Amino acid sequence: MKLHNKHRNVELIINQELLEKISQLGIDHYPNEFGGFLIGKYSDDYNTLFITDYILPKSYKGSRSLFERSAKGTKSLFSKLFKIKKEIYVGEWHTHPNGSTRYSDIDLRAMINIESSPSVNIKNPVLLILSVSEKKLNQATFYIYENKKLIPYE
Amino acid sequence: MATDKHEHLETVLETHRMTHVQNLVDKFKEKRNEVKQALANHYGSDIYYPFDSGSFKKHTAINTKFDLDVVVPFKKDSFDTLDKMFDSLNDFLDDEYGEIATIRKQKVSIGIIFDEDDDGDVINLDIVPGRELNKDQYSADNKLNLFVYSKYGLFSSSTYIQTNIQAQIDHIKAKENERKIIRLLKIWNNNDGKEYKSFLLELFTIKAFDKEDISGNIWEKLEKVMEYIKDNATKDGFKLIDPGNSNNDLMDTLESWGKTNLSNRMETIIERINSNSDNIKSYFPTNKDFEDDDKSSSSVGYGIKTGGTAYSTPPKNERFG
Ligand SMILES: [Zn+2]
């Protein structure tokens, strides 16, 4: 699946199978929110982002309208991925059970924190929000973060 | 320093675009669909399916002021009087949303103002009930009778107006040049006490494009439309016919001093901008909230902070909602 963001004129590519895998994880945790980290790499000209994998948090709390995750214990995993495959942390994903894929204020605040965090060297992390119900994925929306804003890919 | 009028107006339009408030617009749409569904469930075969109207539907919305209206076409036999229809809709909305919203009767609609949500956003919708004019003919002629609610005194008794909202929407369809000018005039009007109805400015603009050669860059077009308004507002017999009802002349909504005033205002604006291009900024201001957008979007591609490597690890704890 190839998505385009007009605002920044960039592309995002993710294969269907990976998206389905992530969705299934979200559905399995229904009716609570669930999520994790997105792994990927940029093209040489930095115009395309390939989402290649995900990492699940080792500890998290999920309720019907909140998802709190910790990055504790994942550091070595990230560094291994980088050494072996040149893949890096590129963003976050979480579900909205029975909700829309619209981001909340809390989501935006989290992304502002992430971009300004010293361990993060990318300026445009992505956020994937999955609207899920008990048995299925309703919709998935990718957002690109830029300058305290989240802008959806088409 | 002189202002490039064309460039400035493009920025004015850009900073007032709805896409800057996409998140908010999505919320409005979601609520609107919810209300439409609730109305359809409640009224069943007494109505035709509710449809969207308002400036958002007409593509003349600006992000500092926009309306998402819902029109509910009732069937001829649903109520024997228009005020019963109006009251029934008010009661239903009050039962359904009274606990999470303020419901109020307005001139031709019932307003729903939802309580502020967690993000501090207030969603409001106007629900316009109309009863079909001719039994079983609505699908063919789109004609509706609206109830006009008046809360003032005994003597200004409530009445009704006949209209065709679909025809009003169609009137502005596919007129991108006109819409730009309408948005600019609305920005001026909202910035200047909102003395004139948006619908009046809309009809003036469409008529100007229709009668005159409105061409050139965006400033030239705006100037020609303002000239047209200046020249015609006070002209005897000049009419602006409501496309929804040929008996309704929007010029009648202005008193003669109001017409003179509008004409003079247009004259002053044109004069002042032509004598000093910087004056355009006070009549047609940008929306400061979104002014920096252009600059940041001029950089393309995914960004890396200075220092070289893109390698990142996520910060320790984050909460999402
Ligand atoms: Zn969220």
Side-chain angles (χ1 to χ4, degrees), chain B residues 46-95:
Chain B
D46 277 344
I47 61 170
Y48 299 93
Y49 200 82
F51 66 94
D52 305 334
S53 168
S55 64
F56 192 79
K57 175 72 186 175
K58 290 176 172 178
H59 303 281
T60 57
I62 51 181
N63 59 23
T64 43
K65 169 91 181 74
F66 59 95
D67 325 287
L68 274 79
D69 298 354
V70 173
V71 181
V72 192
F74 282 86
K75 291 187 181 165
K76 179 81 171 161
D77 297 337
S78 56
F79 291 98
D80 43 326
T81 63
L82 292 169
D83 62 328
K84 280 185 191 157
M85 166 187 79
F86 198 74
D87 283 340
S88 161
L89 180 65
N90 181 68
D91 293 347
F92 169 67
L93 293 175
D94 203 44
D95 284 347

Side-chain angles (χ1 to χ4, degrees), chain A residues 4-31:
Chain A
H4 187 238
N5 179 281
K6 249 190 260 162
H7 185 74
R8 249 196 117 69
N9 198 22
V10 290
E11 274 169 354
L12 181 153
I13 295 176
I14 181 169
N15 79 40
Q16 198 60 33
E17 212 177 310
L18 177 59
L19 189 60
E20 278 168 19
K21 244 159 81 184
I22 294 173
S23 311
Q24 192 53 52
L25 284 163
I27 294 164
D28 292 345
H29 288 79
Y30 179 92

Side-chain angles (χ1 to χ4, degrees), chain A residues 33 65 94-96 100 102-104 106-107 127 129, chain B residues 320-321:
Chain A
E33 292 200 5
S65 60
H94 69 278
T95 59
H96 284 175
S100 73
R102 196 177 58 227
Y103 64 86
S104 67
I106 304 175
D107 295 340
L127 175 66
I129 297 179
Chain B
F320 296 88

Side-chain angles (χ1 to χ4, degrees), chain B residues 35-281:
Chain B
V35 171
K36 276 158 76 175
Q37 192 57 54
L39 288 165
N41 293 345
H42 180 71
Y43 286 109
S45 61
D46 277 344
I47 61 170
Y48 299 93
Y49 200 82
F51 66 94
D52 305 334
S53 168
S55 64
F56 192 79
K57 175 72 186 175
K58 290 176 172 178
H59 303 281
T60 57
I62 51 181
N63 59 23
T64 43
K65 169 91 181 74
F66 59 95
D67 325 287
L68 274 79
D69 298 354
V70 173
V71 181
V72 192
F74 282 86
K75 291 187 181 165
K76 179 81 171 161
D77 297 337
S78 56
F79 291 98
D80 43 326
T81 63
L82 292 169
D83 62 328
K84 280 185 191 157
M85 166 187 79
F86 198 74
D87 283 340
S88 161
L89 180 65
N90 181 68
D91 293 347
F92 169 67
L93 293 175
D94 203 44
D95 284 347
E96 193 80 3
Y97 299 107
E99 308 230 305
I100 53 164
T102 307
I103 310 297
R104 61 172 193 198
K105 290 182 176 180
Q106 300 168 158
K107 201 165 168 219
V108 294
S109 63
I110 310 290
I112 312 176
I113 307 163
F114 289 95
D115 300 343
E116 197 178 276
D117 68 9
D118 294 341
D119 303 334
D121 291 326
V122 175
I123 310 294
N124 64 292
L125 298 171
D126 292 339
I127 316 297
V128 185
R131 193 179 63 182
E132 72 181 332
L133 186 68
N134 308 300
K135 186 170 158 60
D136 300 330
Q137 290 302 300
Y138 173 72
S139 304
D141 68 13
N142 296 129
K143 287 181 180 166
L144 293 173
N145 264 329
L146 306 186
F147 178 70
V148 180
Y149 171 70
S150 169
K151 59 187 168 189
Y152 308 108
L154 284 169
F155 299 104
S156 54
S157 62
S158 300
T159 174
Y160 69 95
I161 42 173
Q162 189 199 311
T163 192
N164 182 332
I165 294 168
Q166 195 54 50
Q168 292 174 343
I169 295 170
D170 293 343
H171 188 60
I172 180 79
K173 232 181 214 165
K175 292 183 171 146
E176 191 41 44
N177 283 321
E178 285 90 330
R179 285 175 188 154
K180 278 187 186 171
I181 304 302
I182 292 164
R183 284 185 210 119
L184 288 169
L185 290 173
K186 281 167 76 170
I187 289 164
W188 158 72
N189 189 37
N190 285 342
N191 188 47
D192 199 27
K194 197 158 196 319
E195 234 174 287
Y196 303 98
K197 281 183 190 220
S198 296
F199 193 38
L200 177 90
L201 299 172
E202 182 180 319
L203 294 183
F204 248 127
T205 305
I206 294 172
K207 189 158 183 179
F209 271 86
D210 201 33
K211 299 285 177 199
E212 304 287 320
D213 173 31
I214 310 288
S215 55
N217 69 31
I218 190 147
W219 160 247
E220 288 159 352
K221 286 187 190 126
L222 176 64
E223 187 182 21
K224 283 171 189 155
V225 171
M226 289 192 296
E227 294 268 6
Y228 181 81
I229 298 174
K230 182 196 81 169
D231 293 342
N232 290 284
T234 51
K235 206 176 254 177
D236 271 344
F238 178 80
K239 288 181 198 286
L240 288 174
I241 300 301
D242 177 355
N245 178 351
S246 55
N247 291 320
N248 185 19
D249 174 8
L250 265 285
M251 287 307 286
D252 289 345
T253 64
L254 291 177
E255 307 270 357
S256 86
W257 60 265
K259 294 176 185 175
T260 310
N261 200 27
L262 176 60
S263 174
N264 291 344
R265 294 281 270 289
M266 291 294 132
E267 185 168 16
T268 310
I269 298 172
I270 296 166
E271 260 176 33
R272 294 210 58 222
I273 293 175
N274 283 329
S275 72
N276 180 351
S277 57
D278 288 346
N279 287 331
I280 198 167
K281 293 177 183 168

